[in-house]
Amino acid sequence: MSNSSSITRFLLLALSDRWELQLLHFWLFLGIYLAAFLGNGLIITTIAWHHHLHTPMYFFLLNLSLTDLGSISTILPKSMANSLWDNRAISYTGCAAQLLFFVFFITAEYCLLTIMCYDRYVAICRPLHYGTLLGSRACVHMAAAAWATGFLYALLHTANTFSLPLCQGNAVDQFFCEIPQILKLSCSLSYLRELGLLVVSAFFLFGCFVFIVVSCVQIFRAVLRIPSQQGRHKAFSTCLPHLAVVSLFISTGMFAYLKPSSISSPSLDLVLAVLYSVVPPAVNPLIYSMRNQELKAALWKLIS
């Protein structure tokens, strides 16, 4: 038995015991990482380069791409290095830093997704008040609030998680440092404090999700009253992808953090972690640019 004071490193989950499969995981994660890096990097560069894209919608999309790059860069490089060098170790400080930055980026991302839905609601349902409600100063304040919320949320969870006494070894059943897996190593009922904090956080996230769904319903009702088919198509094309991204993000994330221990298994935990931490940063650029003709035109102009 060991306690947290004697733990100097953690052992992350080995995706396979065979070297060939570890190499396959390395190339798979490398491909996903490069796709996410290229897609989000192109969106950031395109929005920053073209002045006609300096609008609230694209400003928040740029911030979303930054969070996607940050979250996937926090977890995948270490996992790829471990697979390539057949090494599972991560230092105690490195694990705490990884958890801090990952929770910071995904919380900021969720706040930005909520703000982006509010932006679309105002643009479609209250277009005459758009300039007043979403001026440049208001957009900067909302983005800053999203980043600040993410940082405070991550700092609170990281400090609370790593203050727990750990006596169940140092093997983390995940390819990165994740709160539920660290809690499994706790040896006292003090882990209920962090579990309670996760439940409260889940209610906050669910409240944001309800706000997003209600906003989308209002958008759909307003869209159906638009006489122009082109106008309806444009409104649906901006709202439906956003709702799909949010649904995937919150459903997999909440299930991963709040599912009963009775249905927990290493394979299920791994699939859920990939779905909420790896897939969104890789597919978000495709989802948000695929049906956005203005962004696609600017992207093509930048590339060519």
Side-chain angles (χ1 to χ4, degrees), residues 19-218:
W19 163 246
E20 295 82 1
L21 292 179
Q22 288 185 14
L23 199 59
L24 177 63
H25 291 139
F26 167 79
W27 287 112
L28 179 62
F29 276 2
L30 179 62
I32 295 173
Y33 181 68
L34 290 178
F37 192 87
L38 178 63
N40 288 289
L42 280 174
I43 287 180
I44 293 170
T45 306
T46 302
I47 295 174
W49 185 263
H50 291 87
H51 292 286
H52 72 280
L53 296 181
H54 292 179
T55 62
M57 181 177 73
Y58 293 110
F59 171 73
F60 294 129
L61 181 57
L62 184 147
N63 279 267
L64 184 71
S65 293
L66 288 174
T67 61
D68 281 335
L69 276 181
S71 64
I72 201 168
S73 297
T74 299
I75 60 174
L76 278 198
K78 179 61 179 176
S79 179
M80 289 188 295
N82 284 359
S83 294
L84 186 62
W85 302 112
D86 194 19
N87 178 31
R88 297 172 53 195
I90 183 173
S91 67
Y92 186 92
T93 305
C95 185
Q98 189 180 66
L99 191 147
L100 172 70
F101 283 107
F102 179 69
V103 175
F104 164 51
F105 284 119
I106 64 170
T107 304
E109 177 172 354
Y110 190 68
C111 292
L112 285 167
L113 288 170
T114 306
I115 294 171
M116 289 172 69
C117 188
Y118 174 71
D119 167 70
R120 291 298 85 205
Y121 165 76
V122 176
I124 295 173
C125 299
R126 304 183 65 184
L128 298 179
H129 300 86
Y130 189 78
T132 304
L133 296 175
L134 285 161
S136 57
R137 185 185 296 272
C139 291
V140 171
H141 287 170
M142 284 190 283
W147 288 98
T149 300
F151 179 74
L152 292 175
Y153 183 86
L155 192 63
L156 180 63
H157 276 290
T158 305
N160 202 32
T161 301
F162 282 89
S163 67
L164 300 175
L166 308 177
C167 63
Q168 303 294 331
N170 64 341
V172 179
D173 292 331
Q174 193 54 271
F175 67 95
F176 65 97
C177 289
E178 187 186 39
I179 292 177
Q181 304 303 328
I182 301 295
L183 294 183
K184 289 181 180 180
L185 305 180
S186 176
C187 54
S188 73
L189 292 179
S190 56
Y191 78 91
L192 293 175
R193 180 181 58 189
E194 173 61 20
L195 193 60
L197 187 59
L198 286 175
V199 172
V200 172
S201 302
F203 278 108
F204 168 74
L205 296 178
F206 184 72
C208 291
F209 181 68
V210 171
F211 172 81
I212 292 171
V213 171
V214 171
S215 299
C216 285
V217 170
Q218 295 297 321

Side-chain angles (χ1 to χ4, degrees), residues 120-121 123-125 215-240:
R120 291 298 85 205
Y121 165 76
I124 295 173
C125 299
S215 299
C216 285
V217 170
Q218 295 297 321
I219 290 172
F220 291 150
R221 291 178 60 186
V223 164
L224 293 176
R225 293 196 295 265
I226 298 177
S228 168
Q229 184 177 358
Q230 184 179 1
R232 290 198 300 268
H233 175 76
K234 184 177 181 180
F236 276 121
S237 66
T238 58
C239 192
L240 288 177

